[in-house]
Amino acid sequence: MSDEELINDPLALLREFTAARIAIGRVGNSIPLKQSMEFKLAHAHARDAVYSVLDIEGLTQKFHPFRLPVLHLHSQATSRQKFLKRPDLGRKLSEESKEQFTEPITSFGVAIIIADGLSATAVNENAPGLLKLLIPMLDAAKISVAPLCLVEQARVAIGDDIGHGLNAKLSVLLIGERPGLSSADSMGAYLTYDPKPGLTDESRNCISNIRKGGLNYKQAAGKIFYLINEAFKRKISGVNLKDNAGLLS
């Protein structure tokens, strides 16, 4: 059918408020060709994001101005295929990586971990911009920051091993989220007070959709900094720690 037979959706005016695929109209009983092609393209971008690779060299260079050591770590998932089929391996640090924590180390306030997760593209694009705002906030508050950790084939829980290994009071894990059809570049931040192996998701606070088209870096850094301070003050994180910033007392 031709575009001349396109039947517009009466709710099409709502599309200007969201990148979600809504009110796309129809041609007969089918999706219009243009929207069908756009869907396939978005799906291809999402698949590409899942198989994207953490830019170790590029990120290390971008982190240089922070004047912090950078550790290169790896999970027990030895390949992308293992990572996708064995989520449990992505949650554990490899034995070679654990050896980097065997030396006696000073305790730190915050450990910042950058992990590829399900979209290395997300952290490649968004982690430097966020840390450029967050690390100066921590420095100004005299909160010590552990060596930055870049972790390949990693899932969220790996932050527990790393935070514990670095003897940090709190871990902040930046990770690529599961790619959506309009957000293959979305990064999440997970905060855990007193990180240690064996914790579950209820122990973490999550800030999601950090990207240029979502929660911007300034807002995300401010929210992370707020939660860090509240976690230190109350000595808790996760479901017991609420984001009350901006609420009337």
Side-chain angles (χ1 to χ4, degrees):
M1 294 185 178
S2 70
D3 288 345
E4 293 177 357
E5 297 174 80
L6 173 65
I7 300 172
N8 286 316
D9 190 298
L11 299 179
L13 57 88
L14 297 177
R15 289 206 298 267
E16 67 177 286
F17 301 108
T18 177
R21 196 164 276 101
I22 63 170
I24 60 177
R26 63 185 174 88
V27 176
N29 292 322
S30 300
I31 297 173
L33 177 61
K34 181 174 182 293
Q35 282 72 21
S36 177
M37 297 299 288
E38 288 177 349
F39 176 87
K40 291 178 179 177
L41 180 62
H43 187 254
H45 284 317
R47 288 178 60 88
D48 287 346
V50 170
Y51 288 96
S52 58
V53 177
L54 200 62
D55 182 9
I56 298 289
E57 184 176 349
L59 288 172
T60 301
Q61 290 182 353
K62 289 177 181 175
F63 295 161
H64 185 69
F66 301 141
R67 300 180 183 278
L68 290 168
V70 179
L71 301 180
H72 301 164
L73 308 173
H74 206 289
S75 76
Q76 293 184 10
T78 53
S79 67
R80 199 57 174 170
Q81 285 70 28
K82 284 270 187 181
F83 170 85
L84 293 172
K85 292 179 179 177
R86 292 283 307 273
D88 57 315
L89 297 180
R91 300 184 184 112
K92 300 173 183 174
L93 205 56
S94 70
E95 293 303 318
E96 292 79 5
S97 295
K98 285 181 181 178
E99 290 176 0
Q100 298 193 46
F101 303 144
T102 55
E103 295 295 325
I105 55 176
T106 308
S107 61
F108 295 100
V110 173
I112 297 177
I113 302 135
I114 300 97
D116 47 10
L118 285 165
S119 173
T121 298
V123 289
N124 289 341
E125 294 183 1
N126 298 304
L130 175 70
L131 294 182
K132 190 175 180 180
L133 298 175
L134 178 61
I135 290 180
M137 289 181 181
L138 297 173
D139 288 342
K142 300 190 183 308
I143 297 174
S144 61
V145 180
L148 299 176
C149 296
L150 290 169
V151 200
E152 295 181 87
Q153 311 299 355
R155 294 184 183 266
V156 170
I158 205 165
D160 297 336
D161 279 8
I162 298 172
H164 181 71
L166 289 170
N167 200 17
K169 291 181 181 176
L170 182 145
S171 64
V172 176
L173 181 127
L174 307 178
I175 191 168
E177 297 178 333
R178 185 182 302 278
L181 290 177
S182 59
S183 56
D185 60 343
S186 183
M187 183 177 76
Y190 290 81
L191 287 77
T192 308
Y193 183 80
D194 191 20
K196 52 194 171 190
L199 295 179
T200 55
D201 289 342
E202 52 86 27
S203 302
R204 316 180 222 285
N205 290 84
C206 177
I207 299 168
S208 184
N209 199 30
I210 303 170
R211 61 190 182 97
K212 292 178 181 175
L215 186 68
N216 66 47
Y217 301 152
K218 183 177 181 181
Q219 291 174 313
K223 198 163 285 294
I224 292 170
F225 185 67
Y226 165 82
L227 287 172
I228 289 172
N229 280 290
E230 288 298 302
F232 281 168
K233 189 186 306 179
R234 301 167 187 260
K235 302 186 185 305
I236 54 174
S237 62
V239 296
N240 293 319
L241 179 61
K242 306 301 182 187
D243 179 4
N244 293 322
L247 298 181
L248 296 176
S249 58

